[in-house]
Amino acid sequence: MKRLEVNREKLSPMMQQYMEIKDKYEDSILFFRLGDFYEMFFDDAITASRILELTLTGKQAGLEEKVPMCGIPHHAYITYIDKLIEKGYKVAICEQLEDPKVTKGMVKREVVQVITKGTRIDSNIDSKANNYIANIYDFSYCYGISYADISTGEINAMLVEGEKDHLTKEIIKNGFKEVIVNDTINREIIENLRSKYNILVTITKEESNDKNYEYIYKEIEDIRLVKTLKHLLQYIIDTKKGDLHHLQKCKIIKSSEYLEFDINTKKNLELTETIRNRERQYSLFWLLDKNKTAMGSRYLKKSIENPLTNKIEIERRYDLVTKLSTEFILREDLIKSLEKIYDLERLTGRITYGNLNAKDLLQLKSSLSVLPKVKEILLQLKYDKKIETYNELYSILDKTILEDAPFSLHEGHLIKPGYNKELDELKKISSGSKDFILEMEKLEKEKTGIKTLKVGFNKVFGYYIEISKGQTHLIKEEYGYERKQTLANCERFSTPILKEKENIILGAEEKIINLEYKLFMEIREIVKRYTQSLQKTAKIISEIDMLQSFSVVSDTYKFTRPTLTNEKIIKMTECRHPVIEQVMKDKYVTNDIIMDKTTDILLITGPNMAGKSTYMRQCAITVIMAQIGCFVPCKSCTIPIFDKIFTRIGASDDLVSGESTFMIEMKEANYAISEATENSLILFDELGRGTATYDGMSLAQAILEYIHDKIKAKTMFSTHYHELTSLEKDLKHLKNVHVSAIEENNRLIFLHKVKSGAIDKSYGIHVASLAHLPKSLIKRAEEILSIYEKKNVKKETYTQTSLFELTESEIEPKINPIEEKIKQINPLEMTPMEALNFLYELKKEVKEKK
């Protein structure tokens, strides 16, 4: 049975109310509150029962047949929402706005919020990553993008010029979970985001004119960005429906302020997650994240994804990392204090929005308690930013919230004694009455002589006197007992005195719960006044936490402070890949990466698995670490500030779009050479291998020449096209290097050491044998290779350095007979005719050898 097919006039009043609310939220699964459950009906019930593995039942709703229904307990709804959100659904939470006990007729219900991928504000979202919702506003000649993390209040905006591919790259790079678009946007963009990248996309043209949130964009002069922000804000206001004044003033993102790279570079370098498992472990983020607060971890992730280009700010971070490493005792005190600070950004968001509990205020109190100590440490470190200590706010929280307060705000036990006189009086009445109940049980036992008698309580029947069935005959009429409930093994009774006390106790307890809730909300309003100040403090705590983390990892892993230069040189001595170094069991082989003013391109040759890709990756990772303000895994490091990084490492077909490895290679190469500047870093790993040998080699050479002559960017280019090594003669800014190995007893041993010069052999068959392919197969491959090598004798040979790095004892001297003959003669003792005859014989011998 489908919702749109039913005759609404026949529906029950409650179901008619459901239909009216559902009409407003067609694109959401509606959680409809009925008592202690959220119920779903019709199509929503069918969908939810399948995804959540719930029993699909039916409900009488005035029609001939039951309507599909399923439900979940209201106190456990978050777990179910997680599953639906993960599958890309929106969930509308419809609450009862009136107490059914005191309401005549239909209880008023209304959707209080819509929960989507990008609008979550609860504590179940990833604490170490921002949860962004973004929008795209198509202005036909450019795009406006704004994005917000509603849980922290952060809002950013930017303009994107260029084609739709450029726009998509920006969206994907930032990891937006949900995107709102205006109704004039190209439908191809929407389809691409939905099908290829699994992003939740909503089309809407509505814009906010709410004066309450003008402060977010009031200082922005560009009307395009203002329009973009209004478009996003309207969606956020419509879905969240609560107080959103924790949203901060918008920050305009300027690409020139950050080192730019796309999602491919982020993946290839495994900056925030690994390629294989898509997990944080063994990523750069994992290695550097020694933060003690969730805020610090998020700030680190943002920094890794957006390294700086401002030399002054980078050097400032270096200075603070140096100071923290020098003042290591102060650093330890700082770390101990940071461990007690909770997520101030998200706590502030929940406090403002209203979905908080007493535990949130207790976490805030714990965080505030250490701020005076943190402030003192920062003063000693000569840190250039000051934090507030909030002594008054701490005092209020300390006086009010009970340390063991429950999660629910509707059970009482929230407020400490001594804060409110009325509350203290009510608690006194309640506790006194409870003492009376205990006394009453004792007296009734003595009066009746019934040893099994006890006075109990439950929510349905209130207070009662319980007597086992075997002793009910002992009850006399003068006791005044009135039967209240009959159970299998006992009877329950009440008395006039017990009823009187019950009314006093329950009346007092209900008043206590209501008053405590009211007082709690008043305290929340007081805390809300500190929202902006707490957000500023949170930002400072985030940064100092990240910097102490840099200091700790730099000391632990022996990282060094880079030197930033205005000259176009790279000089990394004894450079390592910081993650691989920590993961591998063997000792890491360090390498120098030297590109002076006269070298723009390193052409890297060497066997497969020898370490070419790692060599390239560690260069880029070192640059990124340097530009986020961290020390780097080198003995010494001098680099310029780069504006962009481009990588093409690894091969993979795009099965969704049907694009081959080669097409992807060419697109990424085109993106690099069209966007790169002379201040960029380009890493191309075996570019051109996705097509026929001569095609690939020709394209690789053309790309190298283009980069060399026109872009002049610092470039690392690994290849198996050994013919390209001859370019060193013609391209004056290209230098050959190779990764060395030793061939020993027909076995290949990788040395992972990069040396100058080139090799002309890839050793692919040797690598195949290392992978334990059948010996007969390897032998046949060697035979075929020998045939090809004879067919393709090179017309010209180039001087190259040896692949092998052998000791003197391992080198077997090759005897040249002509050279030996020359060594044996003495020209001074020969006549002219003897010398002429000797030369003639040598020439004849050389000719015969050819």
Side-chain angles (χ1 to χ4, degrees):
M1 182 187 295
K2 293 187 177 179
R3 184 175 65 87
L4 297 176
E5 296 173 352
V6 302
N7 184 345
R8 295 196 179 194
E9 292 178 3
K10 293 182 179 180
L11 290 172
S12 63
M14 187 278 290
M15 191 54 70
Q16 285 182 2
Q17 183 191 47
Y18 167 84
M19 297 291 259
E20 288 171 9
I21 295 171
K22 176 63 182 174
D23 286 344
K24 300 174 186 175
Y25 298 93
E26 293 279 359
D27 64 344
S28 303
I29 290 178
L30 184 65
F31 278 23
F32 191 75
R33 182 72 177 268
L34 286 175
D36 289 336
F37 285 81
Y38 286 119
E39 303 289 3
M40 287 151 276
F41 302 102
F42 297 105
D43 309 53
D44 284 359
I46 295 167
T47 301
S49 64
R50 186 184 72 252
I51 295 170
L52 304 177
E53 299 178 357
L54 300 172
T55 302
L56 184 67
T57 61
K59 182 176 179 66
Q60 291 289 356
L63 303 174
E64 291 181 9
E65 58 179 304
K66 292 181 179 180
V67 303
M69 181 186 86
C70 67
I72 58 169
H74 81 95
H75 62 273
Y77 77 102
I78 285 291
T79 306
Y80 296 99
I81 280 179
D82 285 345
K83 291 181 181 178
L84 291 170
I85 296 298
E86 188 62 33
K87 294 287 185 181
Y89 291 94
K90 300 178 181 180
V91 179
I93 307 295
C94 180
E95 292 288 0
Q96 295 175 170
L97 302 183
E98 298 172 322
D99 188 344
K101 293 177 184 175
V102 297
T103 303
K104 291 181 180 179
M106 181 69 64
V107 174
K108 187 179 178 183
R109 292 181 176 87
E110 199 173 288
V111 169
V112 295
Q113 67 167 317
V114 179
I115 303 175
T116 66
K117 272 187 179 181
T119 60
R120 297 192 66 172
I121 201 169
D122 55 81
S123 55
N124 277 33
I125 51 178
D126 187 352
S127 64
K128 294 196 173 190
N130 285 99
N131 190 56
Y132 289 124
I133 179 170
N135 77 317
I136 305 170
Y137 203 100
D138 188 351
F139 290 102
S140 72
Y141 59 91
C142 75
Y143 301 96
I145 296 178
S146 61
Y147 54 99
D149 183 341
I150 302 174
S151 68
T152 65
E154 172 193 339
I155 300 185
N156 305 288
M158 68 177 98
L159 289 174
V160 176
E161 309 283 346
E163 298 298 320
K164 59 181 182 291
D165 287 348
H166 198 170
L167 170 73
T168 304
K169 282 180 183 289
E170 197 65 46
I171 296 294
I172 304 310
K173 176 202 163 187
N174 285 285
F176 300 141
K177 304 261 176 86
E178 181 178 3
V179 174
I180 317 305
V181 298
N182 65 329
D183 55 346
T184 60
I185 199 166
N186 187 326
R187 290 298 188 272
E188 191 180 327
I189 294 172
I190 297 172
E191 187 56 35
N192 195 26
L193 294 177
R194 281 176 175 166
S195 60
K196 192 172 179 182
Y197 299 105
N198 194 31
I199 293 174
L200 178 63
V201 181
T202 302
I203 305 169
T204 174
K205 61 181 178 181
E206 302 298 323
E207 296 174 27
S208 171
N209 289 308
D210 193 328
K211 302 289 184 186
N212 289 313
Y213 300 108
E214 275 188 349
Y215 70 91
I216 292 171
Y217 51 80
K218 196 173 184 179
E219 296 173 9
I220 298 175
E221 295 178 358
D222 193 320
I223 59 171
R224 296 171 298 179
L225 289 176
V226 171
K227 198 170 186 66
T228 303
L229 283 161
K230 283 182 172 183
H231 181 239
L232 177 63
L233 279 171
Q234 186 59 48
Y235 182 81
I236 294 172
I237 292 166
D238 283 346
T239 53
K240 299 317 292 177
K241 298 182 182 295
D243 187 348
L244 296 166
H245 278 89
H246 68 290
L247 294 178
Q248 302 166 35
K249 288 182 181 179
C250 178
K251 179 183 177 184
I252 306 301
I253 302 297
K254 297 176 182 174
S255 59
S256 60
E257 294 176 355
Y258 302 100
L259 171 62
E260 292 184 68
F261 48 80
D262 65 4
I263 188 66
N264 295 313
T265 297
K266 184 178 167 183
K267 284 181 179 177
N268 289 335
L269 299 178
E270 298 185 306
L271 297 181
T272 58
E273 63 182 25
T274 56
I275 295 171
R276 178 176 293 181
N277 300 323
R278 299 198 66 183
E279 293 177 353
R280 283 195 193 113
Q281 191 173 22
Y282 307 133
S283 67
L284 180 64
F285 178 39
W286 164 79
L287 183 83
L288 300 182
D289 186 18
K290 300 296 182 283
N291 289 280
K292 300 302 173 184
T293 69
M295 301 175 290
S297 294
R298 285 197 300 274
Y299 193 75
L300 169 62
K301 185 173 184 288
K302 255 186 300 193
S303 296
I304 291 172
E305 292 170 338
N306 301 279
L308 304 173
T309 55
N310 185 320
K311 186 179 179 182
I312 294 171
E313 177 58 23
I314 297 170
E315 294 278 11
R316 170 187 165 271
R317 290 185 181 181
Y318 291 163
D319 291 341
L320 288 164
V321 172
T322 302
K323 186 75 172 174
L324 283 160
S325 292
T326 306
E327 302 285 353
F328 55 88
I329 295 175
L330 279 176
R331 185 181 72 190
E332 288 306 307
D333 290 342
L334 176 65
I335 288 170
K336 287 176 185 175
S337 296
L338 290 172
E339 286 173 343
K340 297 176 183 176
I341 296 178
Y342 289 86
D343 195 338
L344 285 176
E345 286 180 323
R346 287 185 171 163
L347 277 175
T348 306
R350 288 202 294 276
I351 289 165
T352 304
Y353 181 65
N355 63 330
L356 78 162
N357 56 39
K359 299 292 183 189
D360 292 326
L361 291 187
L362 290 171
Q363 288 182 1
L364 177 60
K365 187 182 92 168
S366 172
S367 304
L368 299 183
S369 70
V370 296
L371 290 186
K373 179 66 175 175
V374 173
K375 183 176 183 178
E376 181 188 327
I377 293 168
L378 296 186
L379 285 170
Q380 291 182 62
L381 290 169
K382 294 184 171 58
Y383 188 65
D384 54 359
K385 296 176 184 176
K386 293 182 180 179
I387 62 169
E388 298 292 326
T389 53
Y390 308 99
N391 297 330
E392 187 179 340
L393 180 57
Y394 174 81
S395 178
I396 291 169
L397 295 174
D398 192 42
K399 289 175 185 175
T400 55
I401 309 300
L402 280 165
E403 300 296 339
D404 59 343
F407 281 100
S408 172
L409 300 180
H410 300 284
E411 296 176 13
H413 197 66
L414 299 172
I415 308 298
K416 284 182 176 179
Y419 178 66
N420 182 276
K421 285 185 179 180
E422 184 185 353
L423 181 63
D424 290 345
E425 286 295 323
L426 287 168
K427 286 186 174 180
K428 191 174 180 182
I429 292 169
S430 179
S431 63
S433 299
K434 286 177 181 176
D435 291 341
F436 168 80
I437 296 299
L438 294 172
E439 184 65 25
M440 185 178 181
E441 184 177 291
K442 181 183 173 184
L443 291 172
E444 290 297 316
K445 278 183 178 180
E446 291 174 358
K447 182 172 74 174
T448 61
I450 301 173
K451 293 179 181 179
T452 60
L453 182 150
K454 64 179 181 179
V455 179
F457 171 82
N458 68 35
K459 287 183 179 181
V460 177
F461 292 99
Y463 286 94
Y464 54 80
I465 295 170
E466 185 177 287
I467 298 173
S468 63
K469 283 276 177 77
Q471 296 192 319
T472 53
H473 66 279
L474 298 174
I475 299 171
K476 297 179 181 178
E477 193 175 335
E478 63 260 28
Y479 296 163
Y481 283 14
E482 300 172 11
R483 183 173 274 102
K484 198 167 186 177
Q485 187 185 13
T486 300
L487 299 176
N489 58 352
C490 66
E491 298 280 350
R492 289 176 177 173
F493 302 89
S494 184
T495 68
I497 296 173
L498 190 58
K499 283 180 182 177
E500 183 184 338
K501 286 297 179 183
E502 180 181 88
N503 291 334
I504 294 170
I505 293 169
L506 295 182
E509 287 184 353
E510 188 174 347
K511 286 178 182 176
I512 287 168
I513 288 170
N514 291 336
L515 182 55
E516 288 206 13
Y517 180 78
K518 180 187 171 189
L519 292 171
F520 186 86
M521 289 297 107
E522 289 174 359
I523 294 163
R524 174 202 160 205
E525 290 302 313
I526 293 170
V527 177
K528 277 173 68 174
R529 298 174 201 160
Y530 294 86
T531 297
Q532 289 186 358
S533 178
L534 284 168
Q535 286 174 330
K536 287 178 184 175
T537 297
K539 279 188 170 62
I540 295 170
I541 297 294
S542 302
E543 185 189 53
I544 195 63
D545 193 14
M546 182 183 76
L547 294 175
Q548 71 76 19
S549 182
F550 288 169
S551 172
V552 168
V553 295
S554 296
D555 289 352
T556 305
Y557 305 134
K558 295 181 173 58
F559 294 167
T560 56
R561 177 172 179 157
T563 300
L564 301 179
T565 178
N566 294 324
E567 295 182 292
K568 201 182 165 191
I569 59 171
I570 295 176
K571 188 177 181 182
M572 302 175 185
T573 60
E574 297 186 20
C575 183
R576 299 110 61 196
H577 190 298
V579 178
I580 294 176
E581 181 186 29
Q582 298 311 313
V583 173
M584 69 185 296
K585 295 175 183 177
D586 301 326
K587 187 179 178 183
Y588 191 90
V589 178
T590 63
N591 275 302
D592 296 346
I593 303 175
I594 311 294
M595 299 175 80
D596 56 24
K597 291 179 184 178
T598 62
T599 306
D600 286 337
I601 301 173
L602 288 184
L603 185 62
I604 309 163
T605 49
N608 287 311
M609 294 174 58
K612 298 190 298 296
S613 298
T614 300
Y615 181 65
M616 297 165 73
R617 283 189 176 103
Q618 70 192 41
C619 176
I621 285 174
T622 300
V623 167
I624 288 169
M625 288 175 67
Q627 289 188 219
I628 65 175
C630 186
F631 290 3
V632 296
C634 302
K635 187 177 181 181
S636 66
C637 175
T638 301
I639 55 170
I641 291 176
F642 290 94
D643 62 356
K644 300 172 185 176
I645 294 180
F646 301 92
T647 66
R648 172 60 195 171
I649 300 174
S652 61
D653 289 355
D654 188 338
L655 298 177
V656 175
S657 65
E659 291 182 347
S660 66
T661 298
F662 184 64
M663 175 58 83
I664 295 170
E665 278 188 345
M666 292 302 101
K667 280 191 170 184
E668 290 180 10
N670 178 56
Y671 175 65
I673 62 178
S674 59
E675 297 286 333
T677 72
E678 64 177 347
N679 297 318
S680 301
L681 177 65
I682 300 174
L683 308 180
F684 281 159
D685 188 17
E686 298 182 33
L687 196 67
R689 64 182 164 182
T691 187
T693 303
Y694 292 112
D695 279 356
M697 188 166 61
S698 303
L699 282 163
Q701 179 170 334
I703 289 169
L704 279 168
E705 290 172 353
Y706 189 92
I707 293 171
H708 181 276
D709 298 336
K710 298 194 175 181
I711 303 175
K712 299 179 173 60
K714 293 293 184 188
T715 303
M716 301 178 82
F717 195 110
S718 74
T719 185
H720 281 297
Y721 299 135
H722 301 107
E723 295 83 353
L724 295 178
T725 57
S726 63
L727 291 172
E728 188 177 52
K729 294 179 179 179
D730 303 317
L731 304 181
K732 62 179 180 179
H733 299 301
L734 181 146
K735 181 183 176 183
N736 283 321
V737 294
H738 69 274
V739 188
S740 55
I742 294 176
E743 190 177 0
E744 195 176 71
N745 298 325
N746 287 326
R747 288 178 62 246
L748 194 63
I749 300 171
F750 301 120
L751 299 181
H752 306 295
K753 200 71 179 174
V754 176
K755 296 288 186 181
S756 294
I759 60 167
D760 59 0
K761 197 173 180 183
S762 68
Y763 292 91
I765 293 175
H766 289 79
V767 174
S769 66
L770 290 176
H772 303 295
L773 266 70
K775 289 182 180 178
S776 59
L777 186 153
I778 297 294
K779 187 177 180 183
R780 177 59 182 150
E782 287 171 343
E783 291 170 359
I784 296 168
L785 176 63
S786 177
I787 295 168
Y788 278 124
E789 284 177 341
K790 286 175 182 175
K791 281 184 179 179
N792 294 287
V793 176
K794 294 180 184 177
K795 295 179 181 178
E796 186 179 357
T797 55
Y798 307 108
T799 305
Q800 302 177 83
T801 59
S802 171
L803 163 70
F804 308 117
E805 192 174 301
L806 305 175
T807 61
E808 286 185 10
S809 60
E810 292 174 315
I811 296 173
E812 294 180 12
K814 292 183 179 179
I815 299 171
N816 187 324
I818 295 171
E819 188 177 325
E820 289 301 310
K821 285 183 179 180
I822 293 172
K823 284 179 181 177
Q824 290 171 9
I825 65 158
N826 185 348
L828 298 176
E829 295 177 353
M830 298 174 75
T831 64
M833 184 55 69
E834 287 173 337
L836 191 60
N837 288 334
F838 182 78
L839 185 61
Y840 176 80
E841 290 296 322
L842 284 181
K843 186 177 179 183
K844 183 180 176 184
E845 191 171 337
V846 169
K847 193 172 182 181
E848 287 173 354
K849 280 187 175 293
K850 283 189 176 181

